Amino acid sequence: MEEYTPDTFKPLLAKLVKTPEYFAPDDLRRALEHLFIPDAAHPTQIGAFLTAMHIKQVERRPETLAAASSVLRARAIKVAIEDDNKDFVVDIVGTGGDGHDTFNVSTTAAVVAAGAGARVVKHGSVASTSKSGSADLLERLECLFVAPTAGTTMHIPRIPFTFILAPHYHPALSVIAPYRKLLPFRTLFNMIGPLTNPACPRGMVLGVAERDLGLPFAKSLCDSHVERALVVCGAEGLDEISCAGDTWVWELKDGNITETTLHPTHFGLRTHPLKSVSGGTALQNAETFKALLTSGSEIPNELTPALEFVLMNASALLVVAGIASDYKDGVRLAMESVTSGAAWKALEAFREAGRAAMAKVEREEK
């Protein structure tokens, strides 16, 4: 059995600092095992490791992203998705850190796509750099997140939309959380968050805030056996498909990656400045979410920018899911999901599943 101590971690750290070009995925896997095992690395070593990964830009390599995310998924709470062999499970998520603090578009788009027929298992958390993260929004919409028990398998029912609260499923990250919080930069673990969905979706729309990260993330998704994906970066440094203008796109399909550019006109939609889709608090965003999905065809005109922002991103997810034939067809299906109330019903199904799961836990505790 391999030993993990500060002394065995030292040569790995030395290799990373002195010859980062030779720091291989297997080195990274061994290093991460040291981080996740209590007392296997000294706090000074942990800080030095995270800093070196950042400064030497090793954390930006496709093979690093794929290796690190595989280690985290292996340590995550296991997930069993009901009838996953019958559905093409998808996720839409961003790396965060773009600084634009827009409305919760990926979460809303996920629900809209679910209402249009996609099987969405979204992976997310509370706000880190914005006022309202995906979990914050859903909590304001009265959704419950039942924490799985360590060593068990969490069963995901066959409903259109499900949300996995990342901290509940990645207990390993709690070990290094105090060190990450003390560092003045985003670390490797912020980078790989979108790659660690324990549901292992077959399709993804993944947003990055830097153009240089597009191809590495697309390659890492390919290495992680994702079948179809769009890695997107708005030209403003936005980790979503932008409603304001161009979006750089890396499309993964059949093991091949193609780089292209999207614009709102490809969706049959107009451009809107990012300031028109600014986010607010979780409560304010929840009110916007509800107005978008419960107004039928009478959506207030002032919400048109937010609506079209959501439609574009939902359309992309529907294309990845194989439900929409192209982006304009995706917008049509997404709009039907909104105006028919199907999107809101998808949210209600998730909310009811959460309440039922919580009631079961409470009964078992009595």
Side-chain angles (χ1 to χ4, degrees):
M1 185 174 179
E2 188 170 2
E3 187 179 16
Y4 297 99
T5 69
D7 286 337
T8 60
F9 187 61
K10 190 182 293 185
L12 292 168
L13 183 57
K15 187 175 185 180
L16 172 62
V17 172
K18 296 176 181 179
T19 56
E21 65 273 23
Y22 297 118
F23 193 78
D26 283 343
D27 297 318
L28 175 63
R29 292 186 184 95
R30 290 189 62 231
L32 292 179
E33 291 297 333
H34 283 80
L35 264 63
F36 295 144
I37 295 173
D39 302 320
H42 190 275
T44 302
Q45 293 177 315
I46 295 174
F49 172 79
L50 294 174
T51 301
M53 289 288 291
H54 183 73
I55 291 175
K56 302 292 186 179
Q57 297 196 344
V58 176
E59 64 187 16
R60 302 168 78 95
R61 299 175 187 167
E63 61 271 25
T64 296
L65 296 170
S69 59
S70 69
V71 170
L72 268 183
R73 285 196 303 271
R75 285 180 164 270
I77 300 291
K78 304 305 177 188
V79 170
I81 302 176
E82 182 182 354
D83 290 338
D84 65 334
N85 60 322
K86 299 178 182 178
D87 300 316
F88 191 87
V89 175
V90 296
D91 186 11
I92 177 170
V93 63
T95 58
D98 62 16
H100 288 290
D101 200 20
T102 53
F103 171 69
N104 294 100
V105 64
S106 63
T107 308
T108 312
V111 174
V112 170
R119 180 83 186 273
V120 184
V121 181
K122 180 164 171 55
H123 184 234
S125 191
V126 296
S128 174
T129 56
S130 64
K131 298 175 186 175
S132 173
S134 50
D136 303 305
L137 173 70
L138 292 170
E139 282 184 331
R140 285 295 185 175
L141 292 164
E142 301 178 356
C143 296
L144 301 175
F145 314 124
V146 179
T149 304
T152 64
T153 297
M154 191 68 171
H155 294 272
I156 305 294
R158 195 183 189 194
I159 55 177
F161 171 79
T162 302
F163 181 80
I164 289 179
L165 182 60
H168 283 175
Y169 289 79
H170 297 288
L173 288 179
S174 64
V175 177
I176 59 170
Y179 311 110
R180 292 172 61 196
K181 290 179 180 178
L182 291 172
L183 296 174
F185 52 83
R186 289 164 61 82
T187 70
L188 167 69
F189 299 103
N190 297 101
M191 299 267 287
I192 65 172
L195 303 173
T196 59
N197 188 337
C200 299
R202 296 167 63 187
M204 290 189 71
V205 174
L206 193 161
V208 296
E210 299 176 49
R211 186 178 185 178
D212 289 346
L213 291 175
L215 185 58
F217 267 88
K219 288 180 177 178
S220 69
L221 288 177
C222 186
D223 292 343
S224 301
H225 308 295
V226 172
E227 296 175 35
R228 293 197 297 268
L230 295 175
V231 178
V232 302
C233 178
E236 308 84 5
L238 183 71
D239 68 337
E240 315 279 3
I241 296 176
S242 177
C243 60
D246 287 339
T247 296
W248 297 301
V249 178
W250 295 262
E251 181 179 13
L252 169 63
K253 189 175 182 181
D254 300 325
N256 298 310
I257 298 169
T258 305
E259 187 172 353
T260 186
T261 303
L262 283 176
H263 188 273
T265 53
H266 290 114
F267 297 84
L269 299 172
R270 298 162 290 178
T271 59
H272 302 281
L274 290 185
K275 65 181 180 181
S276 68
V277 292
S278 295
T281 64
L283 178 59
Q284 291 168 331
N285 287 0
E287 291 171 348
T288 300
F289 178 101
K290 191 170 183 179
L292 286 173
L293 301 193
T294 62
S295 298
S297 58
E298 303 298 324
I299 298 171
N301 289 333
E302 62 269 21
L303 293 183
T304 296
L307 171 65
E308 296 194 350
F309 191 25
V310 169
L311 292 177
M312 281 193 297
N313 285 274
S315 169
L317 191 57
L318 290 168
V319 168
V320 167
I323 292 171
S325 58
D326 56 38
Y327 296 116
K328 289 183 179 178
D329 184 47
V331 167
R332 178 185 64 81
L333 293 171
M335 190 64 183
E336 288 178 2
S337 173
V338 170
T339 58
S340 69
W344 184 253
K345 288 179 181 177
L347 177 78
E348 288 185 319
F350 171 63
R351 191 162 55 191
E352 290 305 313
R355 289 171 178 169
M358 186 64 75
K360 180 181 178 182
V361 170
E362 291 173 350
R363 287 196 302 269
E364 291 174 349
E365 289 178 347
K366 289 182 179 179

